[in-house]
Amino acid sequence: MYLYQKQRRYFAQVTGGLEELAIDELKELGGYGFQPSYRGVFFCAESKNLYKIVYKSRIITRVLAPLVQFKISDDKTLYGKAKSIRWSDFLNQSRSFRIFANIAHSEIKHSQYAAQVLKDAIVDQLREKTGERPSVDLKSPDVVINLYIHNNKATISLDLSGESLHKRKYRKINTIAPMQETLAAAIVRAAKWDGETPLYDPMCGSGTILCEALMHYCKIPAAHYKDKFGFMYLPEYHEEDWLFVKKLADDQIRELPQNLVFGSDSSPEAIKAAGENLNTFYQGISVNLKVSPFQNLKNLSNYTIMTNPPYGYRMGNESELQLTYKIFGDFLKNECKNSLAYVYCGNRELIKFIGLRTSFKMPMKNGDLDGRLLKFELY
Ligand SMILES: C[S@@+](CC[C@H](N)C(=O)[O-])C[C@H]1O[C@@H](n2cnc3c(N)ncnc32)[C@H](O)[C@@H]1O
């Protein structure tokens, strides 16, 4: 029996700072027995709920099912232990695979090398058994295997998501500083936005917050546009259960009312990208977009403002940005009365230039950036 079969315990990979929000979401989707850990949360779930979690979670990046765990000192141990797994439970010659390896504080230093050793063990075993070898596919593999080595303890897991869950398939054009989809979803969740007030992103860039807000309001499952998931390669995968879970979720999809979601940006290219991304959804037509600097927007009272101003590392110049943050603070104070504003700031040095009192400051990472989500209650 594999570890996940014995314990019904899985690992949800989560970006730093989103753990609590992820636990909250997992609870809603039927997870239990949470144990926060480095870069994620262990949780338990019955199989239907597991499918639901992979299909609907907006905040989790990957869901892993641990197969084996062992102490490791060198590549021979890794090769030997990897060969003790019956890989034909998951792979055959018609299924392609790929390995993701992540290593920290261990005798084995190079993740590429460790991934190669694991790959050799898998291929050798299947070739010895069946005379055939499964192919490696780095772009669109069926089976994704995860190797994690930390303090000389290795865990080999099957990735139940397959492709990373942050890839929702709505991103058509890459702009300069798009926000990670899971982070934008976490902001919508942290704001508890439920469509009672209109939502406005005055620096919407490629529209990630708008897309996530639309998906949230319209109850579109986060993985709605994907057709292949890692859990389909589990030996106990039950297709009827999956189709049941999917139908139940898809049946809840609803319209987006007019004049509920708005976005603007000073850059015409950004608005073009946002329009194309939103076009993925038939509800996207109801999102109001325009090219405008936020300085020209008037009277956004009783709104939920959600935005991610430029932060200097990838775009803009720091002293110019200090002024932009000050002017943005004035805009919130003067034009957004009785609104709530959620501002994700990738550069903490700039926060003070907004010049308004925050009701909370939530640490949230965007890739390597240790940013903060700020909440302002405007009167
Ligand atoms: C960090 S990016 C936002 C990224 C966005 N969240 C996304 O996922 O694509 C900041 C955006 O602010 C816009 N911007 C900068 N100054 C602005 C201003 N004065 N008025 C409106 N938009 C502005 C930039 O064009 C850029 O698209």
Side-chain angles (χ1 to χ4, degrees):
M1 261 191 148
Y2 297 112
L3 270 182
Y4 79 88
Q5 291 169 325
K6 271 190 233 161
Q7 305 173 339
R8 282 199 176 280
R9 207 164 86 113
Y10 305 91
F11 183 69
Q13 268 185 11
V14 182
T15 302
L18 307 190
E19 295 85 351
E20 283 305 312
L21 291 165
I23 290 178
D24 198 48
E25 187 187 49
L26 279 165
K27 255 187 218 159
E28 244 175 56
L29 298 172
Y32 60 94
F34 304 108
Q35 200 188 333
S37 182
Y38 177 64
R39 293 213 174 163
V41 182
F42 285 99
F43 69 98
C44 300
E46 304 310 320
S47 65
K48 271 194 201 161
N49 286 337
L50 193 64
Y51 302 161
K52 186 153 96 177
I53 287 165
V54 174
Y55 191 47
K56 293 180 77 173
S57 169
R58 303 191 192 283
I59 295 181
I60 293 167
T61 318
R62 291 178 180 278
V63 179
L64 305 178
L67 304 178
V68 293
Q69 200 167 59
F70 50 92
K71 279 204 168 286
I72 179 169
S73 50
D74 54 23
D75 51 355
K76 286 195 188 70
T77 333
L78 175 59
Y79 184 85
K81 290 284 181 186
K83 264 192 129 181
S84 73
I85 295 171
R86 198 169 57 191
W87 287 104
S88 56
D89 284 346
F90 312 102
L91 280 164
N92 56 42
Q93 77 266 21
S94 67
R95 294 181 183 172
S96 62
F97 76 106
R98 111 162 256 189
I99 295 169
F100 280 101
N102 193 318
I103 299 186
H105 312 297
S106 296
E107 296 289 321
I108 295 190
K109 299 270 180 266
H110 300 291
S111 48
Q112 291 272 45
Y113 175 65
Q116 177 73 32
V117 172
L118 175 53
K119 191 207 84 184
D120 289 347
I122 295 171
V123 170
D124 291 352
Q125 187 201 70
L126 287 169
R127 201 168 28 206
E128 282 157 23
K129 252 189 168 176
T130 64
E132 311 252 13
R133 54 161 292 172
S135 56
V136 172
D137 181 344
L138 299 182
K139 262 197 159 168
S140 178
D142 299 315
V143 177
V144 178
I145 295 154
N146 188 287
L147 170 65
Y148 176 63
I149 307 179
H150 189 241
N151 286 335
N152 298 311
K153 198 165 96 180
T155 310
I156 299 177
S157 307
L158 194 77
D159 188 330
L160 302 187
S161 2
E163 193 178 26
S164 173
L165 294 173
H166 82 272
K167 293 187 182 156
R168 319 279 210 231
K169 310 245 183 234
Y170 59 67
R171 210 181 276 296
K172 303 286 177 338
I173 304 177
N174 266 329
T175 46
I176 311 169
M179 168 176 250
Q180 236 171 45
E181 295 83 341
T182 42
L183 174 63
I187 294 171
V188 174
R189 191 174 184 88
K192 301 192 172 76
W193 181 71
D194 56 4
E196 286 287 302
T197 51
L199 182 148
Y200 203 117
D201 183 348
M203 288 180 261
C204 69
S206 63
T208 316
I209 293 176
L210 302 176
C211 287
E212 290 300 323
L214 178 153
M215 288 186 92
H216 167 79
Y217 182 88
C218 299
K219 300 184 192 284
I220 301 171
H224 187 60
Y225 295 100
K226 292 186 185 173
D227 47 16
K228 171 157 101 168
F229 299 94
F231 62 69
M232 294 173 167
Y233 307 105
L234 286 174
E236 55 277 88
Y237 169 59
H238 198 283
E239 190 174 23
E240 251 174 57
D241 282 355
W242 155 237
L243 293 175
F244 176 80
V245 166
K246 179 172 161 51
K247 181 167 180 345
L248 215 61
D250 291 350
D251 283 350
Q252 290 181 23
I253 295 176
R254 59 178 178 172
E255 302 295 319
L256 183 73
Q258 296 289 332
N259 300 326
L260 188 63
V261 179
F262 298 80
S264 53
D265 197 287
S266 53
S267 149
E269 291 78 34
I271 290 299
K272 183 168 182 280
E276 298 219 3
N277 290 344
L278 283 159
N279 257 340
T280 308
F281 314 98
Y282 75 86
Q283 298 95 331
I285 191 102
S286 304
V287 176
N288 304 272
L289 287 177
K290 68 176 175 191
V291 177
S292 168
F294 70 77
Q295 291 89 333
N296 290 356
L297 303 174
K298 298 280 172 240
N299 195 20
L300 296 183
S301 48
N302 294 308
Y303 274 73
T304 299
I305 313 280
M306 247 179 246
T307 201
N308 166 215
Y311 38 77
Y313 295 117
R314 282 185 283 182
M315 55 197 310
N317 162 306
E318 191 123 358
S319 57
E320 241 175 66
L321 283 174
Q322 292 174 358
L323 185 62
T324 306
Y325 273 61
K326 188 196 168 305
I327 299 171
F328 183 58
D330 294 345
F331 159 77
L332 290 178
K333 197 168 130 198
N334 300 326
E335 299 297 337
C336 306
K337 293 196 193 306
N338 296 320
S339 292
L340 292 176
Y342 298 86
V343 180
Y344 181 78
C345 197
N347 178 348
R348 282 176 287 150
E349 296 302 312
L350 292 168
I351 293 174
K352 55 179 177 287
F353 295 98
I354 296 178
L356 296 174
R357 201 154 51 95
T358 53
S359 335
F360 72 53
K361 268 190 201 163
M362 219 182 253
M364 288 183 178
K365 290 210 159 150
N366 187 23
D368 292 336
L369 296 178
D370 186 17
R372 294 288 179 274
L373 176 65
L374 315 172
K375 177 180 177 185
F376 301 99
E377 294 177 46
L378 307 157
Y379 298 103

